[in-house]
Amino acid sequence: DAKTTQPTSMDCAEGRAANLPCNHSTISGNEYVYWYRQIHSQGPQYIIHGLKNNETNEMASLIITEDRKSSTLILPHATLRDTAVYYCIVRVVGGGSNYKLTFGKGTLLTVNP
Amino acid sequence: GAGVSQSPRYKVAKRGQDVALRCDPISGHVSLFWYQQALGQGPEFLTYFQNEAQLDKSGLPSDRFFAERPEGSVSTLKIQRTQQEDSAVYLCASSLGTDQPQHFGDGTRLSIL
């Protein structure tokens, strides 16, 4: 699976949009971008995933650049409960031994009142 | 709805003791995964089950670690002759299939004294 690079930490004001970047410059054509987050003392929580089109669900939006070398997770109106470590993961979907999730160190997002 | 349930949430054991950690996956989920998370690090893959078959145990750190899922539902991770370096959070995840998002429990925090 391709390697990802994320900033170590970010701050965001409550009520504002949080934009979390991820670089995955070696991504292959059949690799998806997944985002998980982990709130303190909880297990990782699935947020969203995408291949090349932008995706939106009730939690967040995922914007993937046209060359697919980077992406941004957007939390449109951050709340204090969104304070967590956010992990960007790239994985192949469809066959093989690609079921493993390879977590990096992620980005610690702190939402401030 | 019912998510992945893990028990106990906390386990303290003396070095050399055996421990057993339980995972109840989401009903109907075929795939089950175990991960180990050291303090300040992202989760790392240990093993994978498809129904009752253990298809990948490449991440198990030693032969003291053993996992089973005899009826294709509940899984147990057993660690024999525990060592201090086994102290970590052990996370269980399940999914409908390997191509589907994995959903995590809140983990068991294991402390070896």
Side-chain angles (χ1 to χ4, degrees), chain A residues 34 36 38 41-46 49 87 91-95 97-105, chain B residues 9 33 35 37 40-43 45 48 55-56 58 91 98-107 109:
Chain A
Y34 277 71
Y36 280 77
Q38 189 170 24
S41 295
Q42 296 184 20
Q45 177 188 23
Y46 165 76
H49 74 281
Y87 296 100
R91 63 181 288 237
V92 175
V93 176
S97 62
N98 51 39
Y99 40 78
K100 303 177 188 179
L101 293 177
T102 302
F103 291 83
K105 293 194 174 182
Chain B
R9 282 282 280 134
F33 309 84
Y35 291 80
Q37 186 171 24
Q41 305 295 317
F45 171 83
Y48 157 61
L55 299 185
D56 187 342
S58 63
L91 295 160
T98 54
D99 289 355
Q100 303 300 315
Q102 295 178 25
H103 298 274
F104 285 78
D106 285 338
R109 181 176 296 277

mmCIF file of all heavy atoms in Angstrom, chain A residues 34 36 38 41-46 49 87 91-95 97-105, chain B residues 9 33 35 37 40-43 45 48 55-56 58 91 98-107 109:
data_model
loop_
_atom_site.group_PDB
_atom_site.id
_atom_site.type_symbol
_atom_site.label_atom_id
_atom_site.label_comp_id
_atom_site.label_asym_id
_atom_site.label_seq_id
_atom_site.Cartn_x
_atom_site.Cartn_y
_atom_site.Cartn_z
ATOM 1 N N TYR A 34 -8.861 6.069 2.519
ATOM 2 C CA TYR A 34 -9.752 5.889 3.659
ATOM 3 C C TYR A 34 -9.367 6.869 4.761
ATOM 4 O O TYR A 34 -8.187 7.165 4.962
ATOM 5 C CB TYR A 34 -9.620 4.473 4.237
ATOM 6 C CG TYR A 34 -10.420 3.410 3.528
ATOM 7 C CD1 TYR A 34 -10.064 2.968 2.262
ATOM 8 C CD2 TYR A 34 -11.534 2.846 4.143
ATOM 9 C CE1 TYR A 34 -10.810 1.994 1.619
ATOM 10 C CE2 TYR A 34 -12.281 1.868 3.510
ATOM 11 C CZ TYR A 34 -11.915 1.447 2.249
ATOM 12 O OH TYR A 34 -12.657 0.481 1.612
ATOM 13 N N TYR A 36 -10.048 7.393 8.947
ATOM 14 C CA TYR A 36 -10.555 6.962 10.237
ATOM 15 C C TYR A 36 -10.169 8.032 11.255
ATOM 16 O O TYR A 36 -9.233 8.795 11.045
ATOM 17 C CB TYR A 36 -9.918 5.640 10.681
ATOM 18 C CG TYR A 36 -10.508 4.405 10.053
ATOM 19 C CD1 TYR A 36 -10.186 4.043 8.741
ATOM 20 C CD2 TYR A 36 -11.384 3.589 10.767
ATOM 21 C CE1 TYR A 36 -10.734 2.908 8.168
ATOM 22 C CE2 TYR A 36 -11.930 2.451 10.200
ATOM 23 C CZ TYR A 36 -11.603 2.117 8.903
ATOM 24 O OH TYR A 36 -12.143 0.992 8.334
ATOM 25 N N GLN A 38 -9.729 8.540 15.741
ATOM 26 C CA GLN A 38 -9.705 7.857 17.026
ATOM 27 C C GLN A 38 -9.768 8.898 18.131
ATOM 28 O O GLN A 38 -8.822 9.665 18.336
ATOM 29 C CB GLN A 38 -8.443 6.997 17.162
ATOM 30 C CG GLN A 38 -8.464 6.096 18.380
ATOM 31 C CD GLN A 38 -7.332 5.084 18.367
ATOM 32 O OE1 GLN A 38 -6.297 5.270 17.738
ATOM 33 N NE2 GLN A 38 -7.531 3.979 19.096
ATOM 34 N N SER A 41 -9.224 7.076 24.129
ATOM 35 C CA SER A 41 -9.750 5.901 24.836
ATOM 36 C C SER A 41 -10.854 5.162 24.069
ATOM 37 O O SER A 41 -11.574 4.357 24.673
ATOM 38 C CB SER A 41 -10.274 6.280 26.225
ATOM 39 O OG SER A 41 -9.216 6.719 27.030
ATOM 40 N N GLN A 42 -10.982 5.441 22.793
ATOM 41 C CA GLN A 42 -11.936 4.703 21.966
ATOM 42 C C GLN A 42 -11.202 4.026 20.809
ATOM 43 O O GLN A 42 -10.035 4.326 20.535
ATOM 44 C CB GLN A 42 -13.012 5.646 21.413
ATOM 45 C CG GLN A 42 -13.888 6.267 22.488
ATOM 46 C CD GLN A 42 -14.994 7.113 21.900
ATOM 47 O OE1 GLN A 42 -15.372 6.981 20.729
ATOM 48 N NE2 GLN A 42 -15.540 8.004 22.711
ATOM 49 N N GLY A 43 -11.889 3.120 20.142
ATOM 50 C CA GLY A 43 -11.320 2.500 18.960
ATOM 51 C C GLY A 43 -11.446 3.407 17.755
ATOM 52 O O GLY A 43 -12.222 4.370 17.766
ATOM 53 N N PRO A 44 -10.692 3.142 16.699
ATOM 54 C CA PRO A 44 -10.815 3.941 15.478
ATOM 55 C C PRO A 44 -12.230 3.876 14.919
ATOM 56 O O PRO A 44 -12.893 2.849 14.991
ATOM 57 C CB PRO A 44 -9.809 3.285 14.520
ATOM 58 C CG PRO A 44 -8.819 2.614 15.406
ATOM 59 C CD PRO A 44 -9.612 2.142 16.591
ATOM 60 N N GLN A 45 -12.671 5.002 14.374
ATOM 61 C CA GLN A 45 -14.006 5.111 13.802
ATOM 62 C C GLN A 45 -13.887 5.416 12.321
ATOM 63 O O GLN A 45 -13.210 6.373 11.925
ATOM 64 C CB GLN A 45 -14.787 6.232 14.515
ATOM 65 C CG GLN A 45 -16.175 6.480 13.960
ATOM 66 C CD GLN A 45 -16.824 7.719 14.568
ATOM 67 O OE1 GLN A 45 -16.154 8.620 15.072
ATOM 68 N NE2 GLN A 45 -18.141 7.771 14.530
ATOM 69 N N TYR A 46 -14.542 4.612 11.502
ATOM 70 C CA TYR A 46 -14.539 4.855 10.063
ATOM 71 C C TYR A 46 -15.271 6.153 9.768
ATOM 72 O O TYR A 46 -16.338 6.425 10.331
ATOM 73 C CB TYR A 46 -15.224 3.693 9.345
ATOM 74 C CG TYR A 46 -15.601 3.983 7.910
ATOM 75 C CD1 TYR A 46 -14.640 3.988 6.919
ATOM 76 C CD2 TYR A 46 -16.918 4.275 7.571
ATOM 77 C CE1 TYR A 46 -14.982 4.262 5.604
ATOM 78 C CE2 TYR A 46 -17.269 4.556 6.266
ATOM 79 C CZ TYR A 46 -16.295 4.545 5.280
ATOM 80 O OH TYR A 46 -16.645 4.830 3.984
ATOM 81 N N HIS A 49 -14.481 7.053 2.627
ATOM 82 C CA HIS A 49 -13.441 6.627 1.712
ATOM 83 C C HIS A 49 -13.831 6.996 0.284
ATOM 84 O O HIS A 49 -15.013 7.253 -0.005
ATOM 85 C CB HIS A 49 -13.149 5.127 1.836
ATOM 86 C CG HIS A 49 -14.199 4.222 1.252
ATOM 87 N ND1 HIS A 49 -15.381 3.925 1.918
ATOM 88 C CD2 HIS A 49 -14.235 3.535 0.087
ATOM 89 C CE1 HIS A 49 -16.097 3.102 1.196
ATOM 90 N NE2 HIS A 49 -15.434 2.844 0.069
ATOM 91 N N TYR A 87 -6.628 9.558 10.888
ATOM 92 C CA TYR A 87 -5.729 8.733 10.106
ATOM 93 C C TYR A 87 -6.178 8.685 8.646
ATOM 94 O O TYR A 87 -7.339 8.395 8.356
ATOM 95 C CB TYR A 87 -5.712 7.302 10.629
ATOM 96 C CG TYR A 87 -5.177 7.112 12.019
ATOM 97 C CD1 TYR A 87 -6.037 6.964 13.109
ATOM 98 C CD2 TYR A 87 -3.805 7.046 12.258
ATOM 99 C CE1 TYR A 87 -5.549 6.766 14.391
ATOM 100 C CE2 TYR A 87 -3.309 6.847 13.540
ATOM 101 C CZ TYR A 87 -4.183 6.712 14.591
ATOM 102 O OH TYR A 87 -3.682 6.509 15.861
ATOM 103 N N ARG A 91 -5.403 2.002 0.608
ATOM 104 C CA ARG A 91 -5.411 0.552 0.488
ATOM 105 C C ARG A 91 -6.073 0.119 -0.809
ATOM 106 O O ARG A 91 -6.982 0.780 -1.324
ATOM 107 C CB ARG A 91 -6.126 -0.087 1.676
ATOM 108 C CG ARG A 91 -7.584 0.249 1.818
ATOM 109 C CD ARG A 91 -8.217 -0.404 3.026
ATOM 110 N NE ARG A 91 -8.385 -1.836 2.873
ATOM 111 C CZ ARG A 91 -9.557 -2.458 2.973
ATOM 112 N NH1 ARG A 91 -10.652 -1.775 3.195
ATOM 113 N NH2 ARG A 91 -9.629 -3.764 2.844
ATOM 114 N N VAL A 92 -5.615 -1.019 -1.299
ATOM 115 C CA VAL A 92 -6.232 -1.618 -2.473
ATOM 116 C C VAL A 92 -7.531 -2.272 -2.039
ATOM 117 O O VAL A 92 -7.610 -2.898 -0.977
ATOM 118 C CB VAL A 92 -5.300 -2.673 -3.110
ATOM 119 C CG1 VAL A 92 -5.983 -3.389 -4.251
ATOM 120 C CG2 VAL A 92 -4.013 -2.017 -3.567
ATOM 121 N N VAL A 93 -8.553 -2.133 -2.835
ATOM 122 C CA VAL A 93 -9.821 -2.792 -2.543
ATOM 123 C C VAL A 93 -10.117 -3.775 -3.674
ATOM 124 O O VAL A 93 -10.175 -3.405 -4.839
ATOM 125 C CB VAL A 93 -10.970 -1.775 -2.413
ATOM 126 C CG1 VAL A 93 -12.295 -2.498 -2.208
ATOM 127 C CG2 VAL A 93 -10.702 -0.843 -1.249
ATOM 128 N N GLY A 94 -10.318 -5.045 -3.276
ATOM 129 C CA GLY A 94 -10.643 -6.040 -4.288
ATOM 130 C C GLY A 94 -9.577 -7.098 -4.415
ATOM 131 O O GLY A 94 -8.649 -6.979 -5.202
ATOM 132 N N GLY A 95 -9.688 -8.165 -3.613
ATOM 133 C CA GLY A 95 -8.782 -9.302 -3.760
ATOM 134 C C GLY A 95 -7.448 -9.133 -3.062
ATOM 135 O O GLY A 95 -7.088 -8.041 -2.620
ATOM 136 N N SER A 97 -4.258 -9.647 -0.377
ATOM 137 C CA SER A 97 -4.100 -9.504 1.074
ATOM 138 C C SER A 97 -4.186 -8.051 1.485
ATOM 139 O O SER A 97 -3.420 -7.587 2.323
ATOM 140 C CB SER A 97 -2.766 -10.120 1.514
ATOM 141 O OG SER A 97 -1.699 -9.428 0.885
ATOM 142 N N ASN A 98 -5.131 -7.323 0.892
ATOM 143 C CA ASN A 98 -5.208 -5.891 1.141
ATOM 144 C C ASN A 98 -6.164 -5.543 2.255
ATOM 145 O O ASN A 98 -6.565 -4.405 2.397
ATOM 146 C CB ASN A 98 -5.650 -5.182 -0.125
ATOM 147 C CG ASN A 98 -6.900 -5.831 -0.701
ATOM 148 O OD1 ASN A 98 -7.788 -6.240 0.040
ATOM 149 N ND2 ASN A 98 -6.970 -5.927 -1.990
ATOM 150 N N TYR A 99 -6.550 -6.529 3.075
ATOM 151 C CA TYR A 99 -7.510 -6.271 4.140
ATOM 152 C C TYR A 99 -6.866 -5.561 5.322
ATOM 153 O O TYR A 99 -7.540 -4.994 6.147
ATOM 154 C CB TYR A 99 -8.141 -7.584 4.610
ATOM 155 C CG TYR A 99 -7.132 -8.703 4.684
ATOM 156 C CD1 TYR A 99 -6.239 -8.793 5.739
ATOM 157 C CD2 TYR A 99 -7.055 -9.633 3.669
ATOM 158 C CE1 TYR A 99 -5.304 -9.794 5.786
ATOM 159 C CE2 TYR A 99 -6.117 -10.650 3.708
ATOM 160 C CZ TYR A 99 -5.246 -10.727 4.771
ATOM 161 O OH TYR A 99 -4.325 -11.720 4.816
ATOM 162 N N LYS A 100 -5.543 -5.607 5.396
ATOM 163 C CA LYS A 100 -4.883 -4.963 6.526
ATOM 164 C C LYS A 100 -4.982 -3.455 6.385
ATOM 165 O O LYS A 100 -4.726 -2.905 5.322
ATOM 166 C CB LYS A 100 -3.401 -5.325 6.570
ATOM 167 C CG LYS A 100 -3.107 -6.786 6.631
ATOM 168 C CD LYS A 100 -1.594 -7.013 6.589
ATOM 169 C CE LYS A 100 -1.282 -8.488 6.450
ATOM 170 N NZ LYS A 100 0.182 -8.733 6.393
ATOM 171 N N LEU A 101 -5.315 -2.789 7.485
ATOM 172 C CA LEU A 101 -5.234 -1.332 7.520
ATOM 173 C C LEU A 101 -3.873 -0.961 8.089
ATOM 174 O O LEU A 101 -3.508 -1.425 9.165
ATOM 175 C CB LEU A 101 -6.351 -0.753 8.385
ATOM 176 C CG LEU A 101 -7.775 -0.931 7.850
ATOM 177 C CD1 LEU A 101 -8.791 -0.378 8.846
ATOM 178 C CD2 LEU A 101 -7.925 -0.227 6.510
ATOM 179 N N THR A 102 -3.127 -0.160 7.357
ATOM 180 C CA THR A 102 -1.818 0.277 7.817
ATOM 181 C C THR A 102 -1.938 1.717 8.295
ATOM 182 O O THR A 102 -2.076 2.643 7.494
ATOM 183 C CB THR A 102 -0.777 0.176 6.687
ATOM 184 O OG1 THR A 102 -0.725 -1.176 6.235
ATOM 185 C CG2 THR A 102 0.599 0.591 7.199
ATOM 186 N N PHE A 103 -1.935 1.862 9.616
ATOM 187 C CA PHE A 103 -2.079 3.182 10.225
ATOM 188 C C PHE A 103 -0.707 3.835 10.377
ATOM 189 O O PHE A 103 0.249 3.195 10.766
ATOM 190 C CB PHE A 103 -2.704 3.067 11.622
ATOM 191 C CG PHE A 103 -4.142 2.635 11.638
ATOM 192 C CD1 PHE A 103 -4.479 1.281 11.558
ATOM 193 C CD2 PHE A 103 -5.169 3.550 11.770
ATOM 194 C CE1 PHE A 103 -5.803 0.867 11.588
ATOM 195 C CE2 PHE A 103 -6.488 3.154 11.810
ATOM 196 C CZ PHE A 103 -6.808 1.813 11.716
ATOM 197 N N GLY A 104 -0.634 5.125 10.092
ATOM 198 C CA GLY A 104 0.543 5.903 10.449
ATOM 199 C C GLY A 104 0.311 6.512 11.814
ATOM 200 O O GLY A 104 -0.371 5.917 12.648
ATOM 201 N N LYS A 105 0.892 7.682 12.037
ATOM 202 C CA LYS A 105 0.692 8.353 13.327
ATOM 203 C C LYS A 105 -0.466 9.336 13.292
ATOM 204 O O LYS A 105 -0.907 9.813 14.328
ATOM 205 C CB LYS A 105 1.973 9.062 13.759
ATOM 206 C CG LYS A 105 3.096 8.101 14.093
ATOM 207 C CD LYS A 105 4.225 8.775 14.830
ATOM 208 C CE LYS A 105 5.246 7.740 15.277
ATOM 209 N NZ LYS A 105 6.351 8.339 16.045
ATOM 210 N N ARG B 9 -12.553 -4.340 29.391
ATOM 211 C CA ARG B 9 -12.024 -3.069 28.889
ATOM 212 C C ARG B 9 -10.608 -2.836 29.395
ATOM 213 O O ARG B 9 -9.795 -2.228 28.711
ATOM 214 C CB ARG B 9 -12.933 -1.920 29.315
ATOM 215 C CG ARG B 9 -14.182 -1.800 28.504
ATOM 216 C CD ARG B 9 -13.920 -1.148 27.146
ATOM 217 N NE ARG B 9 -13.836 0.292 27.252
ATOM 218 C CZ ARG B 9 -12.887 1.022 26.680
ATOM 219 N NH1 ARG B 9 -11.921 0.447 25.992
ATOM 220 N NH2 ARG B 9 -12.898 2.336 26.795
ATOM 221 N N PHE B 33 -10.795 -8.926 12.612
ATOM 222 C CA PHE B 33 -9.381 -8.540 12.668
ATOM 223 C C PHE B 33 -8.998 -8.221 14.110
ATOM 224 O O PHE B 33 -9.793 -7.677 14.868
ATOM 225 C CB PHE B 33 -9.127 -7.289 11.822
ATOM 226 C CG PHE B 33 -9.669 -7.373 10.411
ATOM 227 C CD1 PHE B 33 -10.992 -7.075 10.156
ATOM 228 C CD2 PHE B 33 -8.843 -7.737 9.356
ATOM 229 C CE1 PHE B 33 -11.505 -7.143 8.862
ATOM 230 C CE2 PHE B 33 -9.345 -7.805 8.065
ATOM 231 C CZ PHE B 33 -10.668 -7.508 7.815
ATOM 232 N N TYR B 35 -5.916 -6.028 16.136
ATOM 233 C CA TYR B 35 -4.814 -5.073 16.026
ATOM 234 C C TYR B 35 -4.242 -4.817 17.425
ATOM 235 O O TYR B 35 -4.939 -4.934 18.424
ATOM 236 C CB TYR B 35 -5.290 -3.730 15.449
ATOM 237 C CG TYR B 35 -5.712 -3.762 13.988
ATOM 238 C CD1 TYR B 35 -6.973 -4.224 13.607
ATOM 239 C CD2 TYR B 35 -4.861 -3.305 12.988
ATOM 240 C CE1 TYR B 35 -7.367 -4.236 12.272
ATOM 241 C CE2 TYR B 35 -5.239 -3.316 11.648
ATOM 242 C CZ TYR B 35 -6.493 -3.785 11.304
ATOM 243 O OH TYR B 35 -6.875 -3.798 9.981
ATOM 244 N N GLN B 37 -2.177 -1.792 19.625
ATOM 245 C CA GLN B 37 -1.828 -0.382 19.601
ATOM 246 C C GLN B 37 -0.979 -0.029 20.806
ATOM 247 O O GLN B 37 -1.461 -0.015 21.935
ATOM 248 C CB GLN B 37 -3.078 0.491 19.548
ATOM 249 C CG GLN B 37 -2.768 1.978 19.368
ATOM 250 C CD GLN B 37 -3.995 2.819 19.098
ATOM 251 O OE1 GLN B 37 -5.114 2.447 19.464
ATOM 252 N NE2 GLN B 37 -3.823 3.961 18.452
ATOM 253 N N GLY B 40 0.808 5.965 21.938
ATOM 254 C CA GLY B 40 1.287 7.000 21.036
ATOM 255 C C GLY B 40 1.476 6.566 19.603
ATOM 256 O O GLY B 40 1.944 7.358 18.771
ATOM 257 N N GLN B 41 1.109 5.326 19.299
ATOM 258 C CA GLN B 41 1.274 4.801 17.944
ATOM 259 C C GLN B 41 -0.079 4.454 17.335
ATOM 260 O O GLN B 41 -1.086 4.340 18.049
ATOM 261 C CB GLN B 41 2.149 3.535 17.958
ATOM 262 C CG GLN B 41 3.497 3.715 18.608
ATOM 263 C CD GLN B 41 4.377 4.673 17.865
ATOM 264 O OE1 GLN B 41 4.454 4.632 16.630
ATOM 265 N NE2 GLN B 41 5.032 5.580 18.583
ATOM 266 N N GLY B 42 -0.101 4.268 16.018
ATOM 267 C CA GLY B 42 -1.308 3.788 15.370
ATOM 268 C C GLY B 42 -1.436 2.284 15.561
ATOM 269 O O GLY B 42 -0.470 1.595 15.873
ATOM 270 N N PRO B 43 -2.648 1.756 15.383
ATOM 271 C CA PRO B 43 -2.842 0.309 15.510
ATOM 272 C C PRO B 43 -2.019 -0.461 14.481
ATOM 273 O O PRO B 43 -1.819 0.005 13.356
ATOM 274 C CB PRO B 43 -4.337 0.135 15.241
ATOM 275 C CG PRO B 43 -4.949 1.463 15.547
ATOM 276 C CD PRO B 43 -3.915 2.470 15.149
ATOM 277 N N PHE B 45 -1.645 -4.370 12.665
ATOM 278 C CA PHE B 45 -2.361 -5.612 12.350
ATOM 279 C C PHE B 45 -1.719 -6.809 13.048
ATOM 280 O O PHE B 45 -0.490 -6.968 13.055
ATOM 281 C CB PHE B 45 -2.347 -5.833 10.839
ATOM 282 C CG PHE B 45 -2.855 -7.172 10.395
ATOM 283 C CD1 PHE B 45 -4.214 -7.402 10.257
ATOM 284 C CD2 PHE B 45 -1.984 -8.201 10.121
ATOM 285 C CE1 PHE B 45 -4.693 -8.636 9.836
ATOM 286 C CE2 PHE B 45 -2.439 -9.443 9.697
ATOM 287 C CZ PHE B 45 -3.790 -9.658 9.554
ATOM 288 N N TYR B 48 -6.188 -12.076 11.025
ATOM 289 C CA TYR B 48 -7.434 -11.920 10.292
ATOM 290 C C TYR B 48 -8.163 -13.254 10.172
ATOM 291 O O TYR B 48 -7.542 -14.282 9.898
ATOM 292 C CB TYR B 48 -7.131 -11.345 8.901
ATOM 293 C CG TYR B 48 -8.177 -11.613 7.845
ATOM 294 C CD1 TYR B 48 -9.479 -11.143 7.978
ATOM 295 C CD2 TYR B 48 -7.863 -12.329 6.689
ATOM 296 C CE1 TYR B 48 -10.437 -11.380 7.004
ATOM 297 C CE2 TYR B 48 -8.811 -12.567 5.713
ATOM 298 C CZ TYR B 48 -10.094 -12.089 5.871
ATOM 299 O OH TYR B 48 -11.044 -12.319 4.901
ATOM 300 N N LEU B 55 -7.030 -16.784 8.315
ATOM 301 C CA LEU B 55 -6.350 -16.744 7.025
ATOM 302 C C LEU B 55 -5.009 -16.025 7.061
ATOM 303 O O LEU B 55 -4.210 -16.176 6.134
ATOM 304 C CB LEU B 55 -7.255 -16.101 5.973
ATOM 305 C CG LEU B 55 -8.579 -16.814 5.699
ATOM 306 C CD1 LEU B 55 -9.327 -16.160 4.547
ATOM 307 C CD2 LEU B 55 -8.358 -18.294 5.416
ATOM 308 N N ASP B 56 -4.784 -15.247 8.089
ATOM 309 C CA ASP B 56 -3.528 -14.504 8.161
ATOM 310 C C ASP B 56 -3.194 -14.277 9.624
ATOM 311 O O ASP B 56 -3.992 -13.670 10.344
ATOM 312 C CB ASP B 56 -3.664 -13.170 7.420
ATOM 313 C CG ASP B 56 -2.344 -12.413 7.296
ATOM 314 O OD1 ASP B 56 -1.391 -12.717 8.042
ATOM 315 O OD2 ASP B 56 -2.280 -11.490 6.463
ATOM 316 N N SER B 58 0.138 -13.299 10.284
ATOM 317 C CA SER B 58 1.490 -12.800 10.073
ATOM 318 C C SER B 58 1.906 -11.703 11.046
ATOM 319 O O SER B 58 3.095 -11.479 11.253
ATOM 320 C CB SER B 58 1.641 -12.288 8.641
ATOM 321 O OG SER B 58 0.777 -11.184 8.410
ATOM 322 N N LEU B 91 -7.173 -4.134 19.899
ATOM 323 C CA LEU B 91 -8.390 -3.716 19.216
ATOM 324 C C LEU B 91 -8.899 -4.831 18.320
ATOM 325 O O LEU B 91 -8.123 -5.502 17.640
ATOM 326 C CB LEU B 91 -8.113 -2.485 18.359
ATOM 327 C CG LEU B 91 -7.734 -1.206 19.115
ATOM 328 C CD1 LEU B 91 -7.027 -0.228 18.196
ATOM 329 C CD2 LEU B 91 -8.979 -0.560 19.707
ATOM 330 N N THR B 98 -13.931 -8.228 3.171
ATOM 331 C CA THR B 98 -12.629 -7.551 3.199
ATOM 332 C C THR B 98 -12.648 -6.234 2.427
ATOM 333 O O THR B 98 -11.793 -5.388 2.658
ATOM 334 C CB THR B 98 -11.536 -8.449 2.617
ATOM 335 O OG1 THR B 98 -11.927 -8.873 1.312
ATOM 336 C CG2 THR B 98 -11.291 -9.657 3.500
ATOM 337 N N ASP B 99 -13.607 -6.054 1.517
ATOM 338 C CA ASP B 99 -13.685 -4.817 0.759
ATOM 339 C C ASP B 99 -14.513 -3.758 1.471
ATOM 340 O O ASP B 99 -14.609 -2.629 0.990
ATOM 341 C CB ASP B 99 -14.288 -5.062 -0.624
ATOM 342 C CG ASP B 99 -13.342 -5.826 -1.530
ATOM 343 O OD1 ASP B 99 -12.192 -6.076 -1.109
ATOM 344 O OD2 ASP B 99 -13.754 -6.188 -2.638
ATOM 345 N N GLN B 100 -15.116 -4.107 2.570
ATOM 346 C CA GLN B 100 -15.971 -3.176 3.303
ATOM 347 C C GLN B 100 -15.215 -2.504 4.434
ATOM 348 O O GLN B 100 -14.225 -3.056 4.935
ATOM 349 C CB GLN B 100 -17.181 -3.925 3.859
ATOM 350 C CG GLN B 100 -18.004 -4.633 2.807
ATOM 351 C CD GLN B 100 -18.558 -3.680 1.778
ATOM 352 O OE1 GLN B 100 -19.072 -2.612 2.124
ATOM 353 N NE2 GLN B 100 -18.451 -4.043 0.508
ATOM 354 N N PRO B 101 -15.668 -1.323 4.872
ATOM 355 C CA PRO B 101 -14.978 -0.655 5.980
ATOM 356 C C PRO B 101 -14.977 -1.509 7.243
ATOM 357 O O PRO B 101 -15.940 -2.203 7.542
ATOM 358 C CB PRO B 101 -15.804 0.616 6.181
ATOM 359 C CG PRO B 101 -16.455 0.863 4.869
ATOM 360 C CD PRO B 101 -16.740 -0.490 4.294
ATOM 361 N N GLN B 102 -13.878 -1.446 7.968
ATOM 362 C CA GLN B 102 -13.766 -2.168 9.229
ATOM 363 C C GLN B 102 -14.301 -1.282 10.361
ATOM 364 O O GLN B 102 -14.031 -0.088 10.411
ATOM 365 C CB GLN B 102 -12.294 -2.524 9.494
ATOM 366 C CG GLN B 102 -11.735 -3.500 8.468
ATOM 367 C CD GLN B 102 -10.273 -3.807 8.691
ATOM 368 O OE1 GLN B 102 -9.753 -3.695 9.792
ATOM 369 N NE2 GLN B 102 -9.603 -4.212 7.627
ATOM 370 N N HIS B 103 -15.054 -1.909 11.253
ATOM 371 C CA HIS B 103 -15.623 -1.212 12.397
ATOM 372 C C HIS B 103 -14.965 -1.755 13.663
ATOM 373 O O HIS B 103 -14.960 -2.967 13.882
ATOM 374 C CB HIS B 103 -17.143 -1.401 12.430
ATOM 375 C CG HIS B 103 -17.806 -0.836 11.215
ATOM 376 N ND1 HIS B 103 -18.172 0.488 11.117
ATOM 377 C CD2 HIS B 103 -18.128 -1.409 10.019
ATOM 378 C CE1 HIS B 103 -18.716 0.710 9.919
ATOM 379 N NE2 HIS B 103 -18.691 -0.422 9.234
ATOM 380 N N PHE B 104 -14.467 -0.844 14.466
ATOM 381 C CA PHE B 104 -13.649 -1.223 15.614
ATOM 382 C C PHE B 104 -14.426 -1.187 16.924
ATOM 383 O O PHE B 104 -15.325 -0.360 17.113
ATOM 384 C CB PHE B 104 -12.454 -0.269 15.750
ATOM 385 C CG PHE B 104 -11.374 -0.491 14.743
ATOM 386 C CD1 PHE B 104 -11.513 -0.027 13.447
ATOM 387 C CD2 PHE B 104 -10.209 -1.162 15.088
ATOM 388 C CE1 PHE B 104 -10.510 -0.232 12.504
ATOM 389 C CE2 PHE B 104 -9.198 -1.363 14.157
ATOM 390 C CZ PHE B 104 -9.348 -0.903 12.870
ATOM 391 N N GLY B 105 -13.998 -2.057 17.840
ATOM 392 C CA GLY B 105 -14.418 -1.939 19.224
ATOM 393 C C GLY B 105 -13.531 -0.930 19.939
ATOM 394 O O GLY B 105 -12.609 -0.367 19.346
ATOM 395 N N ASP B 106 -13.817 -0.703 21.217
ATOM 396 C CA ASP B 106 -13.041 0.269 21.988
ATOM 397 C C ASP B 106 -11.782 -0.324 22.608
ATOM 398 O O ASP B 106 -11.033 0.384 23.285
ATOM 399 C CB ASP B 106 -13.913 0.905 23.067
ATOM 400 C CG ASP B 106 -14.890 1.918 22.479
ATOM 401 O OD1 ASP B 106 -14.615 2.425 21.369
ATOM 402 O OD2 ASP B 106 -15.927 2.188 23.112
ATOM 403 N N GLY B 107 -11.564 -1.605 22.391
ATOM 404 C CA GLY B 107 -10.307 -2.209 22.794
ATOM 405 C C GLY B 107 -10.244 -2.692 24.227
ATOM 406 O O GLY B 107 -11.092 -2.357 25.070
ATOM 407 N N ARG B 109 -7.410 -2.593 27.206
ATOM 408 C CA ARG B 109 -6.111 -2.062 27.617
ATOM 409 C C ARG B 109 -5.466 -3.072 28.543
ATOM 410 O O ARG B 109 -5.952 -3.312 29.644
ATOM 411 C CB ARG B 109 -6.256 -0.714 28.306
ATOM 412 C CG ARG B 109 -4.919 -0.104 28.727
ATOM 413 C CD ARG B 109 -5.102 1.289 29.315
ATOM 414 N NE ARG B 109 -5.626 2.226 28.325
ATOM 415 C CZ ARG B 109 -4.879 2.868 27.437
ATOM 416 N NH1 ARG B 109 -3.563 2.684 27.414
ATOM 417 N NH2 ARG B 109 -5.434 3.703 26.585
#
